[in-house]
Amino acid sequence: MKSFYDFNRNNPEERLEQYELYPELALFHIALREEMEEEEYLAFYRAEKESARRMAAPMYQQNRGQWATV
């Protein structure tokens, strides 16, 4: 299933599907757009999209920590 941030917001059909699958989040973003400046909202949206992308990354693809050698 696509995350909220995987939809193409410039495509009306995808935007409608996004609103149908995530109604509460869609309403939250509509309210944010009304309250924030456009640049501020776009920065927030990009940051949230990046955060969602990182959270969806499988654990095995993350870098493994290494013990420090002395």
Side-chain angles (χ1 to χ4, degrees), residues 3-60:
S3 84
F4 181 83
Y5 300 100
D6 289 337
F7 291 89
N8 179 358
R9 298 185 47 126
N10 296 323
N11 181 323
E13 291 84 18
E14 285 198 31
R15 192 171 43 232
L16 181 60
E17 183 182 357
Q18 180 188 43
Y19 290 172
E20 289 174 354
L21 291 174
Y22 301 98
E24 295 87 7
L25 195 51
L27 291 175
F28 173 71
H29 276 271
I30 290 169
L32 278 180
R33 284 190 84 127
E34 292 175 358
E35 295 295 322
M36 297 174 135
E37 298 289 329
E38 185 68 17
E39 291 177 15
E40 184 181 19
Y41 173 76
L42 291 176
F44 173 81
Y45 188 87
R46 282 191 296 270
E48 288 293 307
K49 185 175 183 174
E50 178 64 21
S51 176
R53 185 187 64 79
R54 287 184 183 174
M55 292 294 291
M59 295 298 285
Y60 61 85

